[in-house]
Amino acid sequence: MANPITATLSAKLSGLLGFSPAVPLRRWAPDQPLVDGTVLVLGTGADADAVAALLSGAASSETGEGPGWGLEVHRHPAPDRRYAAVVAVLTGLEHPDELHAPLLAAASTLKGLGRGGRVVTLSRAATSDDAPAVAAARQGVDAVVRTIAKESRGGTTANGLVLAEGVPVTAPSVVGGLRFLLSTRSAFVHGQLLAVDTAAGALPADWEKPLTGRVAVVTGAARGIGASIARTLARDGATVVAVDVPTAGEQLTGVANAVRGTALQLDITAPDAGARILEHALARHGRLDVVVHNAGITRDKLFANMTEAQWDAVIAVNIAAQLRINEALLTSGDFTDAPRIVSISSTTGLAGNRGQANYAATKGGVIGMVRATAPLLEAFGGTANAVAPGFIETEMTAKMPAVTRQVARQLNSLQQGGLPVDVAEAVAFLSSPQAGGILGRTLRVCGQNVVGA
């Protein structure tokens, strides 16, 4: 939860610098409805009908959702009606001319979206095998989503699910991804196109506890984003093994006790770190299903002044350790029940950042690593994906100069920093059974960072 004193100072500083005040984002809370109001589903054809049936109370045997999600759904915009969310189903596009009707219908509703509204598109990925008109229409959707995001106000987010050819709208990762993007769990995910690669995965028996029965390891779990990830995975039903260096032992134990998990004091750069993680999980909990690589360090210096020690330390912790741990897991024979690997990258790994060449190399390395690791897990129903945070309010960013920090908050379309829980929610989604069709992807949690990438 944001500190109210910090928020007040931040608001005053924003005013002095001439920045627009940020709208507080609505985040998940117990007993909160999935969508607080009516959902408008736009589009024609069987896919749009299936999505409307899922969201409404209509039966939907294909998704295993029984009576559906019980939301009030409209299929055509009503004059003067305020909608909580707009879902545009654009999977059947064959020409840019066909963007006119659904997108302009969506545009007519945007000024009336409630605070924290949601705009979500479902479309197909453009490929080199498409006819030119088809590829043009599909690629156009991606750019429109990003543009809507940049124009959105009031905490509204705009995102899209991009389905590979042959993936039905009723596939688990489409259904799960739609639920995630409609919910307040995705409060700081904005202007993103999340690809769904296959129809793999499974819908959870309980949407509130999708990780029940799963054992998850979180590295760097003693504080900050890592501690938030541990809490969120436990909230969703997982048994958590919290890992961090021995010097953080007291904080680590506190986190593990709070989530009713276990603590493992470990230097992840040790050659046997992967074996020790697996041994602990199997001995204490009987299995290992999810590994979240969160541990990381910075040693910032302009590239021309970078020392060998600064470079090597960041490489060792931020990427080499992950590669070694993954290899131990993949060769063990004990990480084969729809396993999940989720690594924390950064927008710096996509766009670079002054004074962080070493850090950028590792965070870009994470993106390449998960892309190459995902096929190795696919035979077991597993996935490897990354989450790339933008500016997140942590102990580390709190030490930045006040003006620099406030400027950093403004460099995204939501005009504020994210919270550790925003990263944790994305990790929890990618760790879930319903994300089984998302392979080797990087989900940015950055409020649509407008610089560089």
Side-chain angles (χ1 to χ4, degrees), residues 6-204:
T6 301
T8 300
L9 292 173
S10 174
K12 289 182 178 179
L13 185 55
S14 290
L16 290 172
L17 295 173
F19 295 143
S20 301
V23 174
L25 303 181
R26 295 177 64 242
R27 293 178 168 90
W28 180 89
D31 302 319
Q32 188 180 69
L34 173 62
V35 176
D36 193 12
T38 304
V39 180
L40 176 63
V41 176
L42 297 170
T44 60
D47 283 355
D49 292 342
V51 171
L54 169 70
L55 297 177
S56 70
S60 181
S61 59
E62 296 151 300
T63 65
E65 280 300 289
W69 294 348
L71 303 175
E72 182 180 352
V73 173
H74 287 187
R75 295 302 305 276
H76 303 282
D80 303 321
R81 183 63 186 253
R82 292 179 66 87
Y83 292 99
V86 177
V87 178
V89 183
L90 308 171
T91 49
L93 292 176
E94 296 186 353
H95 193 281
D97 286 347
E98 297 170 5
L99 293 168
H100 177 279
L103 292 183
L104 292 189
S108 71
T109 70
L110 295 185
K111 289 182 180 179
L113 278 180
R115 175 174 165 260
R118 295 288 185 264
V119 177
V120 183
T121 60
L122 277 66
S123 61
R124 295 283 176 194
T127 72
S128 58
D129 295 329
D130 294 330
V134 173
R138 292 176 172 181
Q139 195 67 48
V141 173
D142 293 5
V144 168
V145 169
R146 292 189 172 99
T147 301
I148 294 170
K150 289 183 177 181
E151 294 180 358
S152 295
R153 294 294 180 265
T156 289
T157 63
N159 296 288
L161 294 170
V162 183
L163 287 56
E165 203 64 50
V167 175
V169 296
T170 54
S173 291
V174 181
V175 174
L178 179 58
R179 191 177 180 99
F180 172 70
L181 293 176
L182 286 174
S183 75
T184 53
R185 298 171 192 257
S186 60
F188 204 59
V189 178
H190 191 37
Q192 303 305 304
L193 285 305
L194 179 61
V196 178
D197 301 284
T198 74
L203 296 178

Side-chain angles (χ1 to χ4, degrees), residues 390-402:
F391 183 82
I392 304 296
E393 306 280 359
T394 64
E395 290 180 22
M396 181 175 69
T397 58
K399 296 175 183 176
M400 295 168 60

Side-chain angles (χ1 to χ4, degrees), residues 311 314-315 318-319 348-349 352 356-367:
W311 182 272
V314 173
I315 295 291
N318 292 10
I319 187 63
T348 298
Q356 290 195 308
N358 49 1
Y359 186 74
T362 62
K363 294 306 183 178
V366 162
I367 293 168

Side-chain angles (χ1 to χ4, degrees), residues 103-441:
L103 292 183
L104 292 189
S108 71
T109 70
L110 295 185
K111 289 182 180 179
L113 278 180
R115 175 174 165 260
R118 295 288 185 264
V119 177
V120 183
T121 60
L122 277 66
S123 61
R124 295 283 176 194
T127 72
S128 58
D129 295 329
D130 294 330
V134 173
R138 292 176 172 181
Q139 195 67 48
V141 173
D142 293 5
V144 168
V145 169
R146 292 189 172 99
T147 301
I148 294 170
K150 289 183 177 181
E151 294 180 358
S152 295
R153 294 294 180 265
T156 289
T157 63
N159 296 288
L161 294 170
V162 183
L163 287 56
E165 203 64 50
V167 175
V169 296
T170 54
S173 291
V174 181
V175 174
L178 179 58
R179 191 177 180 99
F180 172 70
L181 293 176
L182 286 174
S183 75
T184 53
R185 298 171 192 257
S186 60
F188 204 59
V189 178
H190 191 37
Q192 303 305 304
L193 285 305
L194 179 61
V196 178
D197 301 284
T198 74
L203 296 178
D206 181 352
W207 283 105
E208 297 302 313
K209 298 286 184 180
L211 296 176
T212 297
R214 308 285 277 174
V215 176
V217 163
V218 181
T219 68
R223 58 193 177 92
I225 291 173
S228 188
I229 292 170
R231 290 192 293 268
T232 303
L233 295 181
R235 178 204 69 190
D236 285 359
T239 298
V240 174
V241 177
V243 177
D244 216 316
V245 292
T247 53
E250 185 175 348
Q251 288 178 294
L252 183 68
T253 299
V255 171
N257 288 342
V259 301
R260 298 185 178 181
T262 56
L264 174 60
Q265 296 183 25
L266 175 67
D267 178 354
I268 61 168
T269 66
D272 64 344
R276 290 180 60 188
I277 286 171
L278 187 60
E279 179 184 8
H280 177 100
L282 295 177
R284 299 293 297 271
H285 307 294
R287 58 187 297 131
L288 178 58
D289 306 290
V290 178
V291 173
V292 180
H293 292 296
N294 167 73
I297 63 171
T298 57
R299 297 290 185 270
D300 295 351
K301 185 72 70 172
L302 290 177
F303 190 41
N305 300 326
M306 185 77 63
T307 68
E308 288 186 15
Q310 290 165 335
W311 182 272
D312 291 344
V314 173
I315 295 291
V317 175
N318 292 10
I319 187 63
Q322 294 189 30
L323 288 163
R324 194 161 44 245
I325 291 169
N326 288 351
E327 183 177 6
L329 297 175
L330 289 167
T331 58
S332 69
D334 293 309
F335 193 61
T336 57
D337 185 8
R340 300 284 188 267
I341 293 174
V342 184
S343 291
I344 303 302
S345 179
S346 168
T347 53
T348 298
L350 293 160
N353 195 32
R354 178 180 169 84
Q356 290 195 308
N358 49 1
Y359 186 74
T362 62
K363 294 306 183 178
V366 162
I367 293 168
M369 178 190 71
V370 298
R371 189 186 302 127
T373 302
L376 306 178
L377 292 167
E378 193 173 358
F380 309 115
T383 67
N385 292 291
V387 173
F391 183 82
I392 304 296
E393 306 280 359
T394 64
E395 290 180 22
M396 181 175 69
T397 58
K399 296 175 183 176
M400 295 168 60
V403 173
T404 302
R405 189 166 65 248
Q406 193 57 36
V407 170
R409 293 182 178 120
Q410 295 290 321
L411 295 180
N412 66 73
S413 296
L414 293 174
Q415 299 178 301
Q416 60 194 286
L419 300 180
V421 70
D422 297 321
V423 182
E425 294 285 13
V427 170
F429 167 63
L430 292 172
S431 300
S432 70
Q434 62 265 30
I438 301 170
L439 307 176
R441 301 296 178 171

